[in-house]
Amino acid sequence: MGLEAGQLSSPADQSHGLPLNDLSKSGIEELAPVETAPSNAVAVSEATEITFPIAMKLSSACFAFVTAGINDGSFGSLVPYILAGYDIGTGSVAIIYGVTFAGWVVAAIIGGYVRVYAGSGGALVLGALVQLLAQVLRVWKPPFALFCISFFLIALGQAFQDSNSNTFVATVKGAHRWLGLIHASYSIGLLIGPFVATAIATSGSGRWPLYYSFPLGLGVVNLVLVTWAFRDDIALRRSVIGAGGEAVKSSDTVWKETKATLQKKVVWLLSMFYFFYLGAAFTAGGWLVEYLVTVRNIKLSTAGYIPTAFYGGTVLGRLLLPEPTYRFGERRMLLLYAVLCCALEVVFWRVDNLISSTVAIALMGFLLGPNFATGMSVASKLIPKEIHASALGLIFVVAQAGAAIFPAITGVVAANAGVGTLQPMLIGVLIAMGLSWALVPKFDDKNE
């Protein structure tokens, strides 16, 4: 999920277009698949340039992120209808966030095995297939327990696609721009989701489950596109060849990558940044409509569209801010954005005016926009390339912990103290986000 979920694995061999050079330096043997690489596989040196196969993979990644954004962005607008449709309280929403987090945890545990056994293409295809299954379960308004399980499947599928896509895009020339593009695609999905969800949900009593036929159709396209674009990266194997020419079990390979990842301090520091970043983004997006309806007494038919201001700002931020953020220094610019976001959140909280609140939430989305892609860009500089895939898997699961924990806590607290507690909680999470970014080590940046 990313808010957003985004909001952010790859193959463990060169035939999949990811540079795994000098693995012996980190105690991991250099790996290559036992099978002969397909003739149309993209070599490491080619993956840095924008060729037609690379462009199609980038297009597939963008569409996958749009699909994920549409799914995640619609949830906040549908919360009031879900509560009424299943006759449950706000505390029950914590269950949905909990099973979503469980999906990311499972993906972190098995993601490395899926990647090594099936290749990055296989992991991407599996991710698209699992998400499609989840939408099939939702569209007919299943029992609440099964509805919750669909969020587990969505998270599992998104985790496979997000981590593999981010790792691939990080190898392309001008990665900071392309990372900005794929995460802007996610935000475009976030922008579209509330419009479609609100339009369908308000068209008649009990019609909100029909919304899921929209992401269901997109899921079919996503599955076809990713299968075609990454067809050369699908490889089923039980073992790989080590540097000495001997066969190495795939499970041993995964364990070595995981061990090296867990020992990297920078991985944990970046994980904490994403923990608070996604916590803030998902809490704002998930509870904004309920806050406006309950505290500000805004009509539900109007409030359902307000999250589009936040998501629209995020789209523009991810499209327009990556370049100046990169040029003026990624470290200092994200610290500045965090301070400004805190100020805007105070304005939103204290000024009870729909127009000023909408502008404040849109500007906050704009300034939060480049955070995800910038974090991925910094990760590509600080984390050894040979463990990028497993490192991103760990970062994403910690990030999704924030995306699940903070909105869930908000729901539980709101059930007792009211939804008005959303604002002070958001300010606290934003401050923690800025502090955690300040702890990330300095990196090789000409502007630092």
Side-chain angles (χ1 to χ4, degrees):
M1 265 184 166
L3 134 80
E4 338 132 306
Q7 8 175 36
L8 286 202
S9 300
S10 67
D13 58 87
Q14 291 184 349
S15 68
H16 294 160
L18 292 177
L20 294 184
N21 304 321
D22 260 339
L23 296 183
S24 57
K25 292 181 181 179
S26 63
I28 304 176
E29 296 176 300
E30 185 168 356
L31 306 173
V34 173
E35 297 85 351
T36 303
S39 59
N40 60 342
V42 181
V44 173
S45 59
E46 297 173 333
T48 58
E49 299 295 333
I50 305 298
T51 61
F52 179 74
I54 296 299
M56 292 310 303
K57 291 181 178 181
L58 288 172
S59 299
S60 174
C62 286
F63 189 83
F65 273 74
V66 169
T67 303
I70 287 174
N71 175 81
D72 295 349
S74 62
F75 182 67
S77 297
L78 291 175
V79 163
Y81 301 97
I82 294 172
L83 296 179
Y86 285 107
D87 193 22
I88 55 177
T90 56
S92 298
V93 178
I95 299 174
I96 294 177
Y97 285 111
V99 296
T100 297
F101 174 57
W104 285 88
V105 171
V106 172
I109 295 172
I110 69 174
Y113 293 94
V114 173
R115 187 183 71 253
V116 171
Y117 280 99
S120 64
L124 285 163
V125 171
L126 180 60
L129 184 61
V130 171
Q131 289 179 80
L132 181 60
L133 174 61
Q135 302 299 356
V136 171
L137 292 177
R138 291 176 173 180
V139 75
W140 53 279
K141 192 193 173 186
F144 184 67
L146 191 56
F147 184 70
C148 290
I149 290 174
S150 73
F151 284 85
F152 171 86
L153 296 175
I154 283 288
L156 184 66
Q158 285 184 359
F160 288 154
Q161 286 207 292
D162 284 8
S163 55
N164 281 279
S165 296
N166 273 286
T167 306
F168 164 72
V169 174
T171 67
V172 179
K173 188 175 182 179
H176 68 282
R177 299 185 184 94
W178 297 112
L179 286 167
L181 178 62
I182 65 170
H183 291 291
S185 300
Y186 177 78
S187 297
I188 290 173
L190 294 176
L191 181 62
I192 295 172
F195 273 111
V196 180
T198 302
I200 294 177
T202 56
S203 64
S205 177
R207 294 178 62 87
W208 63 268
L210 294 178
Y211 159 75
Y212 290 110
S213 61
F214 177 54
L216 173 62
L218 295 178
V220 174
V221 178
N222 180 35
L223 178 60
V224 172
L225 184 57
V226 74
T227 302
W228 182 76
F230 287 89
R231 63 191 182 281
D232 58 323
D233 295 339
I234 301 174
L236 300 177
R237 54 183 178 268
R238 294 184 178 179
S239 62
V240 295
I241 295 178
E246 74 283 3
V248 180
K249 289 184 178 180
S250 297
S251 57
D252 293 340
T253 299
V254 175
W255 169 243
K256 289 178 181 179
E257 286 187 18
T258 303
K259 184 178 179 181
T261 298
L262 294 175
Q263 293 173 344
K264 280 290 180 182
K265 181 180 178 181
V266 66
V267 174
W268 292 104
L269 292 174
L270 283 168
S271 296
M272 291 309 299
F273 165 69
Y274 278 104
F275 175 77
F276 291 113
Y277 166 58
L278 284 195
F282 271 78
T283 301
W287 288 103
L288 179 60
V289 174
E290 188 70 13
Y291 174 82
L292 292 173
V293 172
T294 304
V295 179
R296 298 283 176 86
N297 297 315
I298 296 175
K299 291 183 179 179
L300 181 57
S301 58
T302 300
Y305 293 104
I306 302 300
T308 58
F310 179 76
Y311 299 137
T314 306
V315 171
L316 293 177
R318 290 181 171 179
L319 289 175
L320 302 179
L321 290 181
E323 193 63 29
T325 301
Y326 177 76
R327 291 184 178 276
F328 289 108
E330 294 163 315
R331 182 181 177 83
R332 67 171 64 93
M333 292 303 289
L334 257 62
L335 288 173
L336 175 62
Y337 298 156
V339 172
L340 294 176
C341 283
C342 287
L344 288 167
E345 178 57 28
V346 171
V347 171
F348 179 86
W349 179 19
R350 304 310 299 175
V351 180
D352 188 0
N353 178 275
L354 182 59
I355 296 177
S356 62
S357 297
T358 303
V359 172
I361 202 70
L363 289 175
M364 190 166 70
F366 179 73
L367 295 173
L368 286 174
N371 282 18
F372 209 113
T374 300
M376 289 294 98
S377 177
V378 171
S380 68
K381 301 170 187 175
L382 292 176
I383 300 173
K385 294 185 182 298
E386 58 268 20
I387 63 170
H388 267 186
S390 56
L392 289 188
L394 176 59
I395 289 173
F396 290 155
V397 75
V398 176
Q400 289 302 320
I405 289 172
F406 290 110
I409 291 175
T410 300
V412 173
V413 173
N416 298 300
V419 185
T421 55
L422 169 67
Q423 304 309 322
M425 287 186 64
L426 265 180
I427 292 175
V429 178
L430 288 170
I431 292 173
M433 180 192 74
L435 293 175
S436 62
W437 178 251
L439 294 176
V440 174
K442 291 187 176 181
F443 42 87
D444 184 13
D445 188 333
K446 64 181 179 181
N447 296 306
E448 292 293 343

